[in-house]
Amino acid sequence: MDPALDTWDFSSPLISLWINRFYIYLGFAFGFSLWICFQIVIRKQNKNLQEKTTPKASQDLMTNGYVFRPKKEVFVSGVKIFYGSQTGTAKGFATILAEALSSLDLPVAVINLKDYDPDDCLVEEVTSKNVCAFLVATYTDGQPPESAEWFCKWLEEAANDFRFGKTYLKGMRYAVFGLGNSVYVSHFNKVGKNVDKWLWMLGAHRVMTRGEGDGNVVKSKHGSIEADFTAWKAKFISRLQALRKGERKRCRGNCKKGKCESNQRSSEAMEPGSRAQEELHHGDAEEEEPFGSTSEEESDTEDHQSQNSVIDVEDLGKMMDHVKKEKREKELQEGETSVIRSTVKSEASERRAMITPALREALTKQGYQLIGSHSGVKLCRWTKSMLRGRGGCYKHTFYGIESHRCMETTPSLACANKCVFCWRHHTNPVGTEWRWKMDQPEMILKEAIENHQNMIKQFKGVPGVKGERFEEGMTVKHCALSLVGEPIMYPEINKFLKLLHECKISSFLVTNAQFPAEIRDLKPVTQLYVSVDASTKDSLKKIDRPLFKDFWQRFLDSLKALAAKQQRTVYRLTLVKAWNVDELQAYAELVSLGNPDFIEVKGVTYCGESSASSLTMANVPWHEEVVRFVCELVDLIPDYEVTCEHEHSNCLLIAHKKFKIGGEWWTWIDYSRFQELIQEYEDSGGSKTFSAKDYMAKTPHWALFGANERGFDPKDTRYQRKNKSKDISGC
């Protein structure tokens, strides 16, 4: 056999493969392509299946087939148990509740309301994700226990103060258990009900209905107050467990605004008649049954809140509660009509009291201490602030008043104007002359000081109150005659001022520039204010709405009378956007007429809706707008400069250049020197006069316009400002 042939036969398969290699490559490529197509189809099918079974929220977290697991959301970060106790029962319940919650593995804090500062800490609960439980007892005559007095007082004032508003505590979650005894029917669990109501008014969310423990075993729902608490505790723990899972109590479709979002979501999640829906309805019904916080109660509270926005007088306003009963409305209307009526009565006939019974009741509820038949005193919020070392009012910044030693009062609640920003919305008596029964100035001053001191005493032991300031606050050093009304109408105003000065109390009197004769006859005061709310006849009529037909001439004569005064004088401008902020040249002319020592410019404060005023939040200027107005006004009055600023009050001070000595401002007051000068004036029978520069004091740097502190005393911690500066170019 031929060896070459044998070799060929052996290698012929390899040669065939080599010759047909392209077909082989093509086969492999075709097979690989089929495998790729098969994989694509499989993945697409898996993706479609996953889209059908995976919620959309989870789909959004998937990228290229990989699932990124977010950090688990925390719905409840902890529980805070607050208690106010007189005999220790509420404290004991708080301890029991804390022990029961320990099994939930949540941080639990038990807090005595006596040691809690709501002014600083309560708002933190809006974002803390804590659930707050309040266990509060009702003590004698429906009053809170001593340990909860300050908390309840603060909460009530905040709920009725428009500056806090309906959303101040929005996001805070709470539950309330009240301790009381139904033997005292009229006061049963009054404190618990009030705390629940006030928190709700501030926008906090009630996670479950209020619990009411009854010490009267005969009427207690569960046989004793301890059993009442045990039942409430079980429901609270159950509700807390649901909240931890992110569950929310579903709406049952009977909310006042109709079909709510939560009800729509529940209808999507559960079919009507399903077992889950039945269980939910049963659970809610069971929860609502034992402890009643009815929708009618909330509706009434909401109506009350919408009608009532109480604000401090320092901000030009506190509107009183609307008197709902027809009898009271009629009485108030009759009181106002009677004082406007110009009928002539015999001097021998008995004069009626200025304050009607209905008005007395309404003002008392607002915290006013009424004196006699026509006077009143109230604790200013800045007095409370400075007692706690948190800054004083703008008069502290501008003139050195110690706000914690200042008494705000008036010897006359009546007024001759109906200003659009009136804090009482024109329910106070009005008139053009004094027609009421008159109380003696000695009695008014004595009771004013006593009432003021009693209100200061209520701050003893309040968290944050400084001991030295509390002691100082018991001695009145300043009197702001600006509470409400027209103090200069009081026939014995000069005698009242003399009594103040004899008590070494400085006097700051505000008048509405409608009584020029009384201004001319007025004895020296520490500082005399005239409200200049507008600069033209038309705008003054629109804003102040005076009762006098010759109001404009009276206004001009009052400014001329002010120019003749030798003591410190002030124009007080209240800016109302779109009403009086464009009258710069006219304001400058009024300044030349009265030649005041100082000009205070303050943005109006919105006092809430009222049928008596068309003022809205749109009329409230921003602080930057007030600054711009002041700078433009100063350009038109060359003898004046911008001097001080109190940003918190949206207020600035313009001062005459005569108070700028050696490049330094002297707007503050030497109060001791003033008392010496006024004593010399009285001893000389009024012949020895003195001027404003005789009792001036140097203004500290922090109070000046453009300082980093923006008018906040650096010694007062709450209003410290760091690294803040102001561009005052062009002023």
Side-chain angles (χ1 to χ4, degrees):
M1 183 179 288
D2 190 354
L5 184 60
D6 293 340
T7 303
W8 177 258
D9 292 339
F10 174 76
S11 58
S12 59
L14 297 176
I15 293 173
S16 297
L17 290 173
W18 175 255
I19 294 172
N20 298 297
R21 64 184 183 276
F22 295 106
Y23 297 104
I24 296 173
Y25 295 159
L26 184 61
F28 275 116
F30 180 72
F32 186 70
S33 299
L34 286 177
W35 182 81
I36 291 176
C37 292
F38 180 75
Q39 292 296 324
I40 291 174
V41 171
I42 293 298
R43 290 199 177 193
K44 189 174 182 179
Q45 289 178 344
N46 289 338
K47 185 176 181 181
N48 290 337
L49 182 62
Q50 191 176 33
E51 287 179 352
K52 294 179 180 179
T53 58
T54 305
K56 188 177 185 304
S58 300
Q59 294 176 26
D60 295 337
L61 300 174
M62 298 182 63
T63 306
N64 296 328
Y66 295 95
V67 178
F68 297 94
R69 297 186 180 276
K71 186 177 179 181
K72 186 177 180 181
E73 184 176 356
V74 177
F75 295 101
V76 178
S77 61
V79 180
K80 289 187 177 180
I81 305 171
F82 300 89
Y83 69 88
S85 181
Q86 190 70 31
T87 61
T89 305
K91 180 179 179 181
F93 285 172
T95 304
I96 294 171
L97 182 59
E99 293 174 352
L101 293 174
S102 60
S103 61
L104 299 182
D105 194 26
L106 278 173
V108 180
V110 179
I111 302 170
N112 187 347
L113 286 174
K114 183 179 181 180
D115 304 322
Y116 186 72
D117 188 352
D119 206 11
D120 276 347
C121 304
L122 195 58
V123 72
E124 296 176 0
E125 305 305 332
V126 170
T127 57
S128 67
K129 293 189 177 182
N130 289 325
V131 175
C132 301
F134 292 88
L135 280 59
V136 286
T138 299
Y139 197 46
T140 307
D141 297 328
Q143 297 300 312
E146 292 180 5
S147 61
E149 278 183 350
W150 165 246
F151 178 83
C152 292
K153 182 179 178 63
W154 181 93
L155 196 61
E156 180 182 15
E157 291 181 352
N160 291 301
D161 191 330
F162 92 102
R163 286 167 305 207
F164 288 88
K166 300 178 183 180
T167 60
Y168 180 69
L169 294 179
K170 186 176 181 180
M172 174 183 171
R173 296 175 292 180
Y174 76 96
V176 175
F177 181 81
L179 292 79
N181 194 313
S182 59
V183 171
Y184 307 98
V185 179
S186 59
H187 303 306
F188 177 57
N189 264 315
K190 183 177 180 180
V191 176
K193 293 175 182 176
N194 284 338
V195 169
D196 186 22
K197 177 180 71 174
W198 294 330
L199 288 170
W200 178 81
M201 289 173 66
L202 289 168
H205 174 64
R206 183 191 297 118
V207 299
M208 61 180 290
T209 51
R210 181 181 64 251
E212 295 187 349
D214 191 351
N216 182 5
V217 295
V218 176
K219 292 188 177 182
S220 171
K221 188 171 184 67
H222 299 88
S224 68
I225 193 170
E226 290 80 8
D228 292 337
F229 171 72
T230 301
W232 178 86
K233 179 186 68 174
K235 294 180 182 296
F236 178 74
I237 294 175
S238 175
R239 185 76 183 110
L240 195 61
Q241 290 171 331
L243 289 172
R244 290 190 70 186
K245 298 175 183 178
E247 297 178 10
R248 293 188 178 183
K249 186 175 177 182
R250 300 185 186 276
C251 175
R252 294 187 297 278
N254 58 351
C255 50
K256 289 185 296 180
K257 295 184 179 180
K259 205 168 185 180
C260 68
E261 185 179 350
S262 61
N263 195 40
Q264 292 173 357
R265 288 197 301 267
S266 66
S267 63
E268 295 174 2
M270 293 184 294
E271 293 296 330
S274 66
R275 181 173 179 178
Q277 188 182 38
E278 291 175 358
E279 290 176 354
L280 176 64
H281 177 75
H282 174 74
D284 284 347
E286 186 183 30
E287 181 180 342
E288 294 292 339
E289 182 182 354
F291 313 109
S293 176
T294 64
S295 59
E296 289 80 11
E297 178 186 337
E298 290 189 1
S299 176
D300 178 71
T301 307
E302 186 176 58
D303 292 341
H304 168 78
Q305 183 184 5
S306 65
Q307 295 175 1
N308 178 33
S309 297
V310 183
I311 63 174
D312 287 290
V313 180
E314 280 298 331
D315 287 329
L316 298 179
K318 252 200 182 196
M319 52 183 284
M320 64 172 289
D321 295 324
H322 285 264
V323 184
K324 297 180 181 178
K325 296 181 179 179
E326 293 182 1
K327 182 178 178 180
R328 294 179 180 177
E329 289 180 350
K330 184 177 178 181
E331 190 172 359
L332 284 173
Q333 291 170 0
E334 289 177 352
E336 182 172 336
T337 303
S338 66
V339 298
I340 298 176
R341 190 179 299 131
S342 59
T343 56
V344 180
K345 293 185 178 181
S346 171
E347 290 295 328
S349 63
E350 183 180 356
R351 299 191 178 204
R352 64 177 298 166
M354 181 185 294
I355 306 175
T356 64
L359 184 58
R360 180 178 295 275
E361 181 182 354
L363 290 174
T364 302
K365 286 182 179 179
Q366 292 183 28
Y368 285 82
Q369 303 297 319
L370 299 179
I371 304 164
S373 63
H374 54 75
S375 307
V377 63
K378 192 177 189 294
L379 206 61
C380 172
R381 69 184 180 95
W382 288 109
T383 300
K384 307 171 190 176
S385 176
M386 205 162 190
L387 281 171
R388 308 175 75 193
R390 302 182 176 195
C393 70
Y394 71 90
K395 290 194 288 292
H396 171 64
T397 300
F398 296 173
Y399 315 118
I401 272 186
E402 297 173 281
S403 301
H404 63 298
R405 305 183 70 180
C406 181
M407 176 178 68
E408 191 168 34
T409 186
T410 181
S412 171
L413 291 166
C415 188
N417 288 348
K418 290 188 174 185
C419 304
V420 295
F421 45 74
C422 175
W423 68 275
R424 298 238 323 270
H425 289 182
H426 326 114
T427 54
N428 57 309
V430 291
T432 57
E433 63 182 24
W434 190 273
R435 294 193 180 95
W436 302 277
K437 182 169 59 177
M438 189 185 71
D439 300 324
Q440 293 303 308
E442 292 86 355
M443 182 274 289
I444 296 174
L445 180 58
K446 179 176 179 294
E447 292 195 16
I449 293 176
E450 289 177 354
N451 284 318
H452 178 82
Q453 290 173 336
N454 289 335
M455 288 186 285
I456 293 289
K457 287 178 182 178
Q458 295 177 8
F459 281 80
K460 187 173 184 179
V462 169
V465 171
K466 296 181 177 295
E468 65 277 10
R469 290 195 177 180
F470 177 81
E471 295 299 328
E472 291 172 351
M474 293 300 295
T475 303
V476 178
K477 188 176 180 181
H478 316 286
C479 180
L481 293 164
S482 60
L483 182 60
V484 70
E486 181 62 86
I488 208 169
M489 283 183 68
Y490 176 51
E492 294 290 344
I493 185 63
N494 279 323
K495 189 173 182 180
F496 184 80
L497 291 169
K498 182 179 179 181
L499 293 172
L500 280 175
H501 299 152
E502 288 176 354
C503 295
K504 306 302 179 184
I505 300 173
S506 64
S507 51
F508 291 75
L509 189 147
V510 181
T511 176
N512 289 320
Q514 288 297 295
F515 295 92
E518 284 76 2
I519 292 177
R520 285 190 289 267
D521 295 339
L522 192 68
K523 296 291 181 68
V525 296
T526 309
Q527 190 155 281
L528 177 60
Y529 291 78
V530 167
S531 294
V532 182
D533 301 323
S535 58
T536 66
K537 182 177 181 179
D538 291 340
S539 59
L540 185 69
K541 184 177 182 179
K542 181 180 179 182
I543 294 175
D544 279 4
R545 296 188 289 188
L547 299 181
F548 285 106
K549 293 182 179 180
D550 59 340
F551 67 91
W552 182 246
Q553 189 58 50
R554 284 177 167 272
F555 178 75
L556 297 177
D557 290 344
S558 295
L559 299 186
K560 294 175 183 177
L562 192 76
K565 293 295 178 181
Q566 299 185 40
Q567 290 73 46
R568 296 167 64 107
T569 57
V570 183
Y571 274 11
R572 194 173 194 176
L573 275 62
T574 301
L575 296 187
V576 184
K577 191 191 293 186
W579 286 33
N580 63 358
V581 296
D582 299 322
E583 304 171 353
L584 285 166
Q585 187 59 48
Y587 275 118
E589 294 172 1
L590 291 181
V591 170
S592 63
L593 185 65
N595 194 30
D597 296 319
F598 306 98
I599 305 169
E600 293 177 4
V601 184
K602 190 176 189 297
V604 69
T605 299
Y606 180 57
C607 304
E609 295 180 0
S610 168
S611 59
S613 173
S614 59
L615 202 68
T616 69
M617 280 299 297
N619 299 117
V620 180
W622 295 96
H623 185 65
E624 291 77 10
E625 294 174 313
V626 177
V627 172
R628 182 167 59 251
F629 175 91
V630 167
C631 292
E632 292 174 357
L633 178 60
V634 166
D635 289 339
L636 301 176
I637 46 177
D639 292 334
Y640 294 83
E641 288 185 17
V642 186
T643 309
C644 301
E645 173 188 29
H646 194 265
E647 185 181 51
H648 188 89
S649 297
N650 198 13
C651 186
L652 286 92
L653 178 69
I654 301 172
H656 197 284
K657 290 181 180 179
K658 67 183 179 181
F659 292 95
K660 192 173 186 179
I661 303 173
E664 296 180 327
W665 284 104
W666 291 65
T667 66
W668 276 35
I669 298 173
D670 185 339
Y671 294 100
S672 298
R673 179 57 182 156
F674 171 78
Q675 296 299 342
E676 294 173 359
L677 292 170
I678 196 67
Q679 186 62 50
E680 294 174 2
Y681 171 86
E682 295 292 347
D683 292 343
S684 66
S687 61
K688 189 173 183 179
T689 60
F690 56 96
S691 68
K693 294 182 68 175
D694 291 335
Y695 55 101
M696 63 182 182
K698 185 178 177 181
T699 309
H701 179 270
W702 59 263
L704 298 176
F705 178 66
N708 292 340
E709 294 82 359
R710 297 194 178 188
F712 301 131
D713 192 335
K715 293 183 295 184
D716 293 310
T717 56
R718 185 175 182 181
Y719 297 116
Q720 289 181 356
R721 294 294 185 270
K722 297 181 180 179
N723 302 321
K724 280 193 175 182
S725 60
K726 184 184 295 295
D727 179 10
I728 59 173
S729 59
C731 294

